């Protein structure tokens, strides 16, 4: 496997990196393990200060950090800068709130004083995808750094530049050696790291295919894991929704990051009274984008991340049409030599069409017409995925009632999909398990250690005692 940056806008091979050596892996495991044991006796305050410095440095180096991502995987520079700022927000949040979130939880018990302490467990491996090259790392890094779990990073093969930049930033902030070590691991080496007794958990964000392989290795070795996988998020437009409000977000929710977002709205499920008007206006939104150099502020459609990603999407769209989908708009070649894909709208997708149950990771919207609210909910739930979703309704109460009936990890009513450090992120079904960010994410790899403390045993009351 080659770790390589190929600029998706110029097709230039920028840099190739060799796989990690066995020695590098051993050094990473040993220094991570040493740090874990040191951190068990260190005040959390020093890690909070380092995390604030990481946030400051991210803001200071915003421009160069953002450009590194653009060269790695082609996202728009303004979106890349937004991602750097989001990372800084996440780092600041866990620096400010980590200590409180890790306070022991008292338990009322007849046995006497009892509480649960939250301790670090050891080295955590994170396996991350290319679509948000820093944000995906930060979601795992910031909470685990505060907890005291050192981390090994295996980033996607096509974003090695971003992996190196993040690791360097952590070093520049003065984090102790072993806090975050980037390794260019091949798949076999990922298995080796997971099996190592110094590693206590693995967090993967990526596809169902990658998730299956890494979750299996974690299960085999009885290691805790969290899986943040794909999605076919629904965007339900109820009959009483205000279409002007709906149209304010439709372009963003499907075309942001060239449509390569796990929580993009991939299925628009629209009430029949609004369907024709919705389609017309979605078509206008999609037609208004300007493909071009992602470093140019005037560009509004970035190239896809790689030739492979574009090829896969083209195959999926062709297959959808061959199986009866109606091509409402798009799917025409863009007259630029790079990995651009014209924003495309497909309708009339029946359950036997492969597109009905396949995640399309690019600027393609599926639009469905429904006659009733229940039909909208049933269609949203007729998916193997359950990551997130959006509901637009005449009131937030009506929208929330419908949102609660959609089987996903995250639902948003009359608004965009937000991702912020205080909000838990994750899904159900084949979208994975576990949560990142928020208290739930912070606790993913902690040992919730029960302590029961008494001055002396009370031998006359043995109910519940274990021998
Ligand atoms: P992917 O192929 O699964 O890659 C993700 C990471 O897993 C990469 O580092 C990849 O390494 C590694 N990987 C894949 N197979 C592996 C194996 N057998 N053993 C060890 N490591 C393995 O995912 P992708 O297609 O690049 O990313 C897009 C997918 O991620 C979409 O499905 C998207 O919805 C999902 N995603 C989910 C979330 C979420 O939070 N739920 C967020 C973003 C993206 P290589 O690059 O070296 O292959």
């Amino acid at each position: 496997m080659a770790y390589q940056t190929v600029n998706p806008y110029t097709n230039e091979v920028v840099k190739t990196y060799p796989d990690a050596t066995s020695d590098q892996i051993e050094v990473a495991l040993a220094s991570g393990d040493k740090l874990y044991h040191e951190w068990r006796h260190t005040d959390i305050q020093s890690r909070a200060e380092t995390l604030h410095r990481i946030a400051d440095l991210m803001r200071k180096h915003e421009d160069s950090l953002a450009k590194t991502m653009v060269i790695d995987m082609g996202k728009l520079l303004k979106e890349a800068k937004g991602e750097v700022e989001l990372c800084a927000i996440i780092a600041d949040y866990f620096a400010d709130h980590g200590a409180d979130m890790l306070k022991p939880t008292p338990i009322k018990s007849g046995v006497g004083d009892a509480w649960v302490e939250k301790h670090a467990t050891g080295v955590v491996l994170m396996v991350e995808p290319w679509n948000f090259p820093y944000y995906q790392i930060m979601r795992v890094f910031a909470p685990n750094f505060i907890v005291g779990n050192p981390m090994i990073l295996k980033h996607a093969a096509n974003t090695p530049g971003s992996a190196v930049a993040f690791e360097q930033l952590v070093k520049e902030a003065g984090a102790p050696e072993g806090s975050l070590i980037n390794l260019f691991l091949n798949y076999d080496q990922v298995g080796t790291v997971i099996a190592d007794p110094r590693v206590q958990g693995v967090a993967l964000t990526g596809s169902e295919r990658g998730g299956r392989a890494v979750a299996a290795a974690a299960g085999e070795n009885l290691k805790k894991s969290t899986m943040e996988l794909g999605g076919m998020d629904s965007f339900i437009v109820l009959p009483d929704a205000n279409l002007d409000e709906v149209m304010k977000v439709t372009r963003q929710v499907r075309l942001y990051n060239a449509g390569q977002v796990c929580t993009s709205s991939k299925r628009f499920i629209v009430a029949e009274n609004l369907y024709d008007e919705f389609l017309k206006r979605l078509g206008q939104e999609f037609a208004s984008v300007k493909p071009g150099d992602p470093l140019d502020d005037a560009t509004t459609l970035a190239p896809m991340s790689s030739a492979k990603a574009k090829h896969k999407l083209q195959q999926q769209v062709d297959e959808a049409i061959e199986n009866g989908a109606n091509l409402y708009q798009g799917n025409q070649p863009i007259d630029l030599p790079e990995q651009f894909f014209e924003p495309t709208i497909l309708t009339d997708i029946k359950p036997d069409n492969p597109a009905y149950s396949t995640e399309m990771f690019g600027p393609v919207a599926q639009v469905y017409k429904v006659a009733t609210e229940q039909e909208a909910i049933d269609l949203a739930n007729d998916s193997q995925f359950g990551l997130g979703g959006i509901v637009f309704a005449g009131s937030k109460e009506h929208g929330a009632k419908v949102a609660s009936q959609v089987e996903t990890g995250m639902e948003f009513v009359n608004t965009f999909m937000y991702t912020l450090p205080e909000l838990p992120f994750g899904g159900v079904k084949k979208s994975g398990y576990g949560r990142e960010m928020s208290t739930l994410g912070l606790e993913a790899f902690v040992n919730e250690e029960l302590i029961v403390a008494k001055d002396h045993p009370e031998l006359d009351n043995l109910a519940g005692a274990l021998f």
Side-chain angles (χ1 to χ4, degrees):
M1 180 195 315
Y3 281 83
Q4 194 170 62
T5 292
V6 180
N7 182 337
Y9 182 63
T10 61
N11 292 325
E12 176 202 356
V13 177
V14 178
K15 193 163 176 183
T16 304
Y17 303 75
D19 284 359
T21 62
S22 304
D23 282 354
Q24 285 172 327
I25 296 173
E26 177 50 33
V27 167
L29 288 164
S31 61
D33 189 55
K34 182 165 169 282
L35 183 60
Y36 159 66
H37 287 97
E38 285 167 15
W39 269 348
R40 284 192 69 100
H41 310 288
T42 318
D43 195 308
I44 207 172
Q45 191 53 31
S46 67
R47 293 203 292 282
E49 284 162 16
T50 308
L51 208 42
H52 274 311
R53 278 200 300 279
I54 289 171
D56 294 346
L57 284 172
M58 295 211 88
R59 293 189 172 107
K60 184 173 156 201
H61 300 317
E62 181 188 89
D63 217 49
S64 65
L65 284 169
K67 281 185 181 142
T68 300
M69 277 193 284
V70 176
I71 305 296
D72 261 352
M73 51 68 72
K75 67 169 61 200
L76 299 179
L77 182 62
K78 52 181 176 272
E79 292 180 359
K81 287 182 178 175
E83 180 174 339
V84 174
E85 174 55 23
L86 176 59
C87 288
I89 291 171
I90 296 169
D92 278 338
Y93 179 86
F94 284 100
D96 287 336
H97 301 285
D100 267 353
M101 292 159 97
L102 287 169
K103 277 192 179 140
T105 316
I107 298 177
K108 275 195 184 148
S109 165
V111 81
D113 289 347
W115 64 91
V116 170
E117 297 179 356
K118 296 169 192 170
H119 294 295
T121 48
V123 178
V124 169
L125 171 68
M126 62 169 110
V127 181
E128 300 300 336
W130 45 266
N131 64 340
F132 292 99
Y134 301 138
Y135 158 74
Q136 301 291 0
I137 303 174
M138 189 57 95
R139 285 196 332 198
V140 179
F141 174 76
N144 280 291
F145 184 74
I146 279 295
V147 163
N149 288 326
M151 281 153 279
I152 291 175
L153 165 66
K154 182 257 175 277
H155 216 325
N158 58 329
T159 47
S162 306
V164 169
F166 197 103
E167 184 190 39
Q168 277 172 355
L169 191 105
V170 171
K171 269 191 200 141
E172 191 185 336
E177 196 186 330
S179 301
L180 176 84
I181 297 184
N182 171 56
L183 290 174
F184 294 124
L185 298 174
N186 61 40
Y187 290 178
D188 287 345
Q189 292 171 325
V190 167
T192 305
V193 170
I194 291 172
D196 191 281
R198 290 164 288 192
V199 171
Q200 290 302 322
V202 53
L204 177 137
T205 296
S207 64
E208 191 185 324
R209 176 189 61 89
R212 274 181 197 280
V214 170
E220 181 77 33
N221 290 284
L222 296 177
K223 302 289 167 76
K224 254 182 141 179
S225 64
T226 56
M227 293 289 139
E228 298 285 348
L229 309 179
M232 286 192 72
D233 289 10
S234 60
F235 183 121
I236 296 177
V237 183
L238 293 170
D240 58 347
N242 177 332
L243 209 51
D244 291 337
E245 298 289 325
V246 172
M247 301 320 297
K248 283 182 190 164
V249 304
T250 44
R251 190 167 105 177
Q252 185 81 348
V253 298
R254 192 62 194 98
L255 301 187
Y256 184 79
N257 211 27
Q260 304 163 119
V261 184
C262 52
T263 51
S264 288
S265 299
K266 288 161 194 148
R267 298 179 296 149
F268 292 90
I269 299 173
V270 186
E272 60 187 358
N273 63 318
L274 299 173
Y275 180 82
D276 291 342
E277 181 67 10
F278 174 85
L279 255 185
K280 192 176 96 193
R281 291 173 71 173
L282 187 70
Q284 288 162 354
E285 290 286 347
F286 276 24
S288 69
V289 296
K290 184 174 176 302
D293 183 349
L295 290 169
D296 181 347
D297 275 346
T299 303
T300 55
L301 181 72
M304 293 188 65
S305 62
S306 65
K308 190 173 136 209
K310 178 182 170 180
H311 179 67
K312 182 176 173 190
L313 185 66
Q314 188 62 67
Q315 277 184 331
Q316 289 175 322
V317 170
D318 292 346
E319 193 180 32
I321 295 167
E322 278 160 26
N323 283 277
N326 171 45
L327 174 66
Y328 178 80
Q329 181 174 312
N331 195 31
Q332 301 303 312
I334 288 185
D335 192 18
L336 286 168
E338 303 80 18
Q339 316 309 335
F340 290 97
F341 198 99
E342 189 184 28
T344 294
I345 300 173
L346 299 173
T347 63
D348 301 288
I349 296 167
K350 303 284 181 278
D352 61 353
N353 191 321
Y356 186 84
S357 46
T358 310
E359 180 186 32
M360 292 190 182
F361 213 56
V364 179
Q366 304 184 1
V367 187
Y368 298 83
K369 176 159 59 174
V370 285
T372 65
E373 187 168 299
Q374 191 56 50
E375 204 184 315
I377 296 166
D378 291 345
L379 180 51
N381 287 337
D382 191 18
S383 170
Q384 287 297 304
F385 294 102
L387 190 55
I390 292 175
V391 179
F392 265 80
S395 69
K396 66 178 177 210
E397 291 76 19
H398 182 198
K401 212 169 132 213
V402 171
S404 319
Q405 296 172 70
V406 184
E407 297 159 357
T408 63
M410 306 168 275
E411 285 290 318
F412 292 78
V413 175
N414 290 342
T415 186
F416 291 106
M417 183 90 209
Y418 281 96
T419 174
L420 287 166
E422 64 274 23
L423 305 176
F425 195 108
V428 294
K429 302 198 243 181
K430 283 189 180 166
S431 293
Y433 52 83
R435 294 291 180 269
E436 289 184 350
M437 304 225 278
S438 80
T439 310
L440 297 177
L442 182 96
E443 291 175 349
F445 299 106
V446 302
N447 171 17
E448 293 102 349
E449 185 176 359
L450 169 71
I451 310 283
V452 174
K454 298 171 81 73
D455 287 327
H456 52 82
E458 289 153 15
L459 297 178
D460 54 340
N461 179 9
L462 293 178
L466 284 178
F467 300 93

